[in-house]
Amino acid sequence: MKIEKIDLYFINMPLVSPFGTSFGVQEERDALILAMHSEGLVGWGECVATNDPGYSYETAVTAWHILEDFLIPSLLGKELEKPEDIQGLMSSVRGHPLAKATLDQAIWDLFAQRDGVSFAQKLAEPYPEGPKERVKVGVSVGTQSSVEKTIEVIQGYVDDGYGRIKLKIKPGHDKELAKAARQNFPDLPIMLDANSAYRLEDAPIFQSMDDLNLLMIEQPLGHEDIYFHSWLKPKIKTPLCLDESIVSSDHARYAINMQACDIINVKPSRVGGWTVAREIHDLCIQNGIRLWVGGMLETGVGRAAQLALASLPGFTLPGDISATARYYHDDIATAFFLNEEDSTITVPQGVGLGIEVDMDRLEAVSSKKAMYVQE
Ligand code: OSB
Ligand code: MG
């Protein structure tokens, strides 16, 4: 397929409720939406880089710059035989995985459409069992003003039908919170996400939570660290999951070889797209590392592609892929709903991403728009 034309939108959408983490509180979300044109088809991508460089060094503004000035010019007019080919064409840019993943998502969508299959089916081609039809999901609960308030928020999501809860923690807001959550919800799968807020010296805090039967603790130590996670892991009983530290398949290899984790949260955006996410999936299956798909408060455009990834056989733990209502009142694409009886979301079955982008809504939330064609 030849990449003929690309449209880029800079969007901003208010979140249903503020999302607090160890690095700040987010009330609205900047993002980029990309439309890639080829053979009369349109492939969609979402760039999850946002307002500030808290989780990743990339922001929506840096991603726009890298896309406009480097990645898009190196792709326009190029002929690709398969979606994987885009990785080589983007290799002259170091880093910036969130910018790269935007294009990677769009090219996978285009090839799936060309072949008349869903994004999930296209991605699952190497696996005889094919993609799952529904994927297990949970909800990520941001930091709240008090423990009581957190318990209330958890209760709300449990009432909605969510079967797995993730709590954001930070120093001073950890043990007491986890204990209260466990007391109030004795049988609920509960996990914690520290977003890199601790140091190895804090091991006793995690040891004190050993008896809470937590599903896992996600990224307790530095965002670039793998080494000290390998020291922390044998000191604690709770399974250790890495998020921020795994930015490529090589990093997954480092973590596996150093025995730094039991579980990896795979965000396709963080690793530069779906091709690399699938490589990490295969590597982890071979090495007994459990997997789930993480989230970045995606709109429906990104969520459809998250669901497709989560449909691969190795993703056995519930993902951070919640229903649209948990994020946005009025999304730019088809809404997703929770199947309450088993805390799953149905993977779109239509061709490509299997969603409808609401162009009026997209224009309405865009502050900037650009169109790129080969000169
Ligand atoms: O660390 O997993 C994270 C959201 C933004 C940035 C980082 C993270 C998150 C979440 C939300 O936990 C997951 C979701 O999209 O529901
Ligand atoms: Mg995380």
Side-chain angles (χ1 to χ4, degrees):
M1 299 194 90
K2 187 171 163 182
I3 302 176
E4 295 158 10
K5 178 163 106 64
I6 289 174
D7 307 320
L8 198 55
Y9 301 80
F10 195 116
I11 66 166
N12 176 280
M13 302 218 296
L15 288 165
V16 163
S17 54
F19 189 68
T21 61
S22 59
F23 51 80
V25 180
Q26 196 171 356
E27 303 203 8
E28 49 181 25
R29 186 167 170 266
D30 285 350
L32 308 181
I33 298 292
L34 182 146
M36 188 185 278
H37 301 259
S38 179
E39 299 175 9
L41 304 170
V42 185
W44 292 95
E46 173 166 349
C47 180
V48 302
T50 189
N51 319 44
D52 58 59
Y55 169 83
S56 159
Y57 61 85
E58 295 181 77
T59 66
V61 172
T62 72
W64 184 285
H65 160 56
I66 294 294
L67 282 162
E68 176 171 83
D69 295 326
F70 301 101
L71 294 171
I72 292 174
S74 70
L75 289 175
L76 283 175
K78 292 281 160 43
E79 192 81 48
L80 280 76
E81 266 174 45
K82 50 185 193 310
E84 289 88 337
D85 293 346
I86 202 169
Q87 291 292 322
L89 294 170
M90 300 194 295
S91 62
S92 59
V93 172
R94 278 201 189 160
H96 298 280
L98 308 192
K100 289 174 181 169
T102 318
L103 292 156
D104 187 85
Q105 183 189 331
I107 201 80
W108 275 95
D109 185 19
L110 276 178
F111 273 92
Q113 290 180 43
R114 185 204 61 180
D115 295 348
V117 298
S118 70
F119 195 117
Q121 285 169 319
K122 185 75 197 154
L123 210 55
E125 271 174 0
Y127 315 100
E129 60 267 62
K132 296 189 277 279
E133 278 176 26
R134 294 155 86 109
V135 300
K136 287 244 170 235
V137 302
V139 63
S140 175
V141 177
T143 53
Q144 308 292 326
S145 51
S146 67
V147 172
E148 295 69 40
K149 177 77 189 150
T150 311
I151 300 300
E152 248 172 66
V153 173
I154 298 174
Q155 186 65 58
Y157 287 129
V158 168
D159 293 344
D160 288 345
Y162 287 104
R164 186 227 70 184
I165 297 288
K166 162 166 138 181
L167 300 176
K168 293 287 189 180
I169 57 163
K170 57 183 182 183
H173 301 265
D174 40 42
K175 224 160 54 186
E176 192 199 345
L177 180 69
K179 264 194 190 129
R182 179 48 80 221
Q183 265 162 17
N184 281 274
F185 306 95
D187 302 317
L188 183 66
I190 298 171
M191 54 182 283
L192 308 177
D193 186 1
N195 286 108
S196 302
Y198 296 84
R199 304 178 53 77
L200 185 61
E201 296 75 54
D202 297 319
I205 297 175
F206 298 105
Q207 286 163 341
S208 75
M209 298 192 278
D210 272 347
D211 57 357
L212 294 180
N213 188 28
L214 299 170
L215 193 57
M216 71 187 88
I217 163 79
E218 182 180 345
Q219 195 72 35
L221 309 182
H223 68 280
E224 291 181 317
D225 174 80
I226 293 175
Y227 184 65
F228 285 134
H229 280 102
S230 79
W231 285 29
L232 178 63
K233 192 172 105 65
K235 293 183 197 290
I236 60 174
K237 291 210 185 89
T238 307
L240 203 155
C241 170
L242 290 177
D243 173 356
E244 282 90 327
S245 304
I246 307 300
V247 293
S248 69
S249 30
D250 274 344
H251 285 73
R253 276 190 196 91
Y254 307 151
I256 291 166
N257 289 348
M258 282 192 228
Q259 299 182 32
C261 65
D262 305 287
I263 300 168
I264 292 180
N265 159 354
V266 181
K267 291 180 184 169
S269 53
R270 197 192 61 225
V271 301
W274 278 254
T275 299
V276 181
R278 202 175 63 178
E279 278 170 26
I280 294 175
H281 165 268
D282 296 351
L283 200 63
C284 288
I285 291 182
Q286 287 158 19
N287 289 279
I289 302 291
R290 288 182 292 157
L291 292 166
W292 54 283
V293 174
M296 293 287 289
L297 312 173
E298 281 85 349
T299 73
V301 173
R303 188 159 356 278
Q306 268 181 295
L307 287 163
L309 182 65
S311 77
L312 300 187
F315 290 99
T316 55
L317 291 163
D320 272 349
I321 312 173
S322 310
T324 305
R326 183 254 174 274
Y327 306 101
Y328 304 105
H329 287 299
D330 195 3
D331 203 353
I332 54 170
T334 319
F336 290 96
F337 300 93
L338 184 73
N339 304 311
E340 303 168 32
E341 66 285 359
D342 58 358
S343 189
T344 61
I345 296 183
T346 304
V347 180
Q349 304 293 311
V351 164
L353 288 169
I355 52 163
E356 213 56 71
V357 177
D358 179 340
M359 292 307 293
D360 292 336
R361 180 75 189 136
L362 176 59
E363 296 276 354
V365 296
S366 294
S367 57
K368 188 162 126 180
K369 181 185 165 183
M371 195 183 89
Y372 309 93
V373 284
Q374 198 187 2
E375 280 158 21

